[in-house]
Amino acid sequence: MLLPQLPEDVLYHILAYLDHITLSRFSQVCKAVYTFVNRDNVWKSVAKDFLNTGIRRDGSDLYPNIPLKDRVRTAQNWSNGFCNRGVLIRWRKNLLPWLQMDGDVLFLSQAAEIRAHSVRQNGKRILSQPFQSYSGHHGDVCRFVLNNSYLISSGSDGTIVVHSRRSGSQTKLPGHSQEINCLDSRGELIISGSRDTTVKIWTLTSGSSIDTISMFDRVWSIAIDPSLSSFAVGTACCRTTSPLHIWTIERLECVCTLGSDFRHGAGVLDIVFESPFQLLTCGYDTFIRLWDLRLSTQKCVMEWEDPHDSALYCLQTDGNHMMASGSSYYGVVRLWDKRQSQCLQVYELSSQRPSSPVYCLRFNSSHLFAALATSLHSLDFRQSPGSSS
């Protein structure tokens, strides 16, 4: 019996022992083998060991419409630092922009507006002109999140605006006495945090907050866990000794306070949940930290330090091995492999002085977008620098 004539389950078992190079060479044997080897099921065991292939630790797939073989090829460029850099948009005034992505749409806040840009390829360029904009604040937008068909923004005017992306309607929720530095939303829930030292709980349909929590310190970051059972609050660590607090949603109880060894002012600027029991944080203390929230642990289990001792403004993870962080100086973006203690790749996006922090970054399978004070940058990892599109 020839190898291609073996039952499919036997072939899957055999091919699971091959690495990506051997699989690529084996696919060139004949058309039948090529068709079989290009299946996602063949590449899944290989893809989980690469950076940013979309295969998460829980087995879910972030990019099911992109063949896994292509994602593995692009993942090698992420690891090796092969990319084409570009500046998509520039503006004159210094701003504190924020980013979110939804499929092929990139949302960028600029002053009091949030603009939607298409990131599909148009020839060789990504479209820089917005096709839609959202407004409603009397001051600058501080943060915004996407929740299904809603875009929810908070501003320096102390208000929250809930935008319906379908109907175009908006609902304004006044509540904080000072600027709202952070918010998150999942399901019907909205949680906001402000410089006024309070956290407020809202719903998408409520006209006012349904609960208020005093944190006794400025609130810099908030994240709701994927199971909607708890949320994390990052504070400035100026008036309290611990900057990270975990609260239950049902009872609104603080179940644990983490980071008692932080120095004064080493606040948490960004929080990302990887699971209901694991979250990543970064901030003024110059570290990325992985926290285990299970009752038997409740502590930092891994940490990565910025080699230039820079504050870290933002963070994103692929849910598996890769992290990307944005530094406070010279527009520096760093890629990290959690399996290594040292930074994997570094990109200095700004040569201007004074330097700009990376206020926010987002990535998909092929691109990383970074927002600085006066520009939006793109790193394209689909091919090596100088190669044709």
Side-chain angles (χ1 to χ4, degrees):
M1 181 180 290
L2 299 175
L3 189 62
Q5 295 174 328
L6 290 172
E8 288 191 356
D9 56 341
V10 176
L11 271 176
Y12 282 131
H13 185 75
I14 294 173
L15 297 182
Y17 289 94
L18 305 184
D19 60 22
H20 66 287
I21 296 176
T22 310
L23 279 174
S24 296
R25 290 173 176 170
F26 181 54
S27 68
Q28 300 173 18
V29 169
C30 65
K31 289 185 178 179
V33 171
Y34 177 85
T35 301
F36 186 86
V37 171
N38 277 7
R39 294 181 182 180
D40 281 359
N41 285 338
V42 173
W43 287 88
K44 197 164 188 177
S45 60
V46 173
K48 66 182 181 182
D49 293 327
F50 279 83
L51 300 182
N52 196 31
T53 57
I55 303 299
R56 300 173 66 93
R57 280 178 293 181
D58 60 7
S60 60
D61 191 346
L62 295 178
Y63 314 115
N65 296 325
I66 305 174
L68 261 179
K69 181 181 178 181
D70 294 342
R71 284 184 263 166
V72 170
R73 184 186 300 114
T74 304
Q76 296 173 66
N77 290 337
W78 286 89
S79 298
N80 297 324
F82 296 151
C83 67
N84 289 309
R85 306 188 191 190
V87 180
L88 300 182
I89 308 170
R90 294 186 186 274
W91 50 89
R92 293 184 178 180
K93 288 183 63 178
N94 283 347
L95 303 175
L96 278 72
W98 196 252
L99 298 170
Q100 294 290 357
M101 290 194 72
D102 183 14
D104 294 326
V105 180
L106 178 72
F107 295 86
L108 167 68
S109 66
Q110 292 178 274
E113 276 194 339
I114 301 168
R115 298 171 181 175
H117 301 262
S118 173
V119 295
R120 292 179 179 176
Q121 286 301 109
N122 181 19
K124 296 183 180 180
R125 296 175 55 194
I126 294 175
L127 298 179
S128 60
Q129 293 300 316
F131 65 86
Q132 193 169 2
S133 62
Y134 302 86
S135 58
H137 291 282
H138 295 297
D140 288 356
V141 174
C142 297
R143 290 290 188 274
F144 67 93
V145 294
L146 304 174
N147 184 354
N148 296 322
S149 62
Y150 294 98
L151 187 153
I152 304 149
S153 59
S154 64
S156 59
D157 56 359
T159 64
I160 293 173
V161 180
V162 180
H163 308 266
S164 172
R165 294 163 59 189
R166 291 177 180 171
S167 66
S169 63
Q170 61 177 234
T171 304
K172 185 171 289 190
L173 307 174
H176 288 278
S177 60
Q178 297 185 41
E179 67 183 60
I180 303 175
N181 298 314
C182 54
L183 84 162
D184 198 9
S185 179
R186 287 180 184 267
E188 293 294 314
L189 195 66
I190 302 172
I191 303 180
S192 60
S194 171
R195 183 183 286 269
D196 67 9
T197 76
T198 64
V199 169
K200 290 183 179 289
I201 318 296
W202 319 72
T203 66
L204 288 172
T205 56
S206 64
S208 59
S209 61
I210 57 177
D211 263 302
T212 301
I213 302 170
S214 179
M215 300 302 300
F216 307 102
D217 207 346
R218 287 171 294 175
V219 182
W220 289 135
S221 53
I222 276 178
I224 304 172
D225 87 66
S227 68
L228 286 172
S229 61
S230 65
F231 64 94
V233 180
T235 59
C237 202
C238 292
R239 299 178 183 175
T240 58
T241 58
S242 301
L244 186 59
H245 313 265
I246 310 300
W247 290 74
T248 62
I249 289 176
E250 184 177 356
R251 298 183 179 181
L252 286 185
E253 295 177 344
C254 184
V255 293
C256 66
T257 301
L258 304 168
S260 59
D261 57 341
F262 280 40
R263 66 178 182 268
H264 180 78
V268 174
L269 294 176
D270 204 2
I271 303 173
V272 178
F273 270 97
E274 289 205 306
S275 76
F277 303 105
Q278 287 186 313
L279 60 84
L280 292 159
T281 62
C282 68
Y284 287 120
D285 67 323
T286 76
F287 281 87
I288 299 172
R289 287 187 167 92
L290 174 63
W291 304 87
D292 190 334
L293 304 183
R294 286 172 290 193
L295 291 175
S296 59
T297 311
Q298 290 189 340
K299 65 178 183 180
C300 176
V301 292
M302 293 186 72
E303 59 184 30
W304 300 264
E305 184 178 12
D306 186 276
H308 289 163
D309 201 32
S310 299
L312 300 177
Y313 274 54
C314 54
L315 175 70
Q316 191 180 354
T317 171
D318 68 349
N320 194 14
H321 299 305
M322 193 182 86
M323 301 180 295
S325 62
S327 300
S328 56
Y329 296 111
Y330 310 123
V332 170
V333 169
R334 297 186 189 276
L335 301 185
W336 306 80
D337 187 333
K338 294 178 188 174
R339 298 164 294 187
Q340 303 177 20
S341 59
Q342 302 299 316
C343 169
L344 184 65
Q345 300 293 340
V346 57
Y347 304 94
E348 186 176 319
L349 303 181
S350 175
S351 58
Q352 298 179 352
R353 302 296 183 270
S355 63
S356 167
V358 178
Y359 288 111
C360 188
L361 59 82
R362 293 290 182 262
F363 60 77
N364 55 22
S365 65
S366 59
H367 289 77
L368 185 146
F369 302 96
L372 278 62
T374 59
S375 54
L376 174 66
H377 294 251
S378 168
L379 301 177
D380 182 352
F381 291 89
R382 290 171 304 167
Q383 60 254 333
S384 302
S387 62
S388 59
S389 299

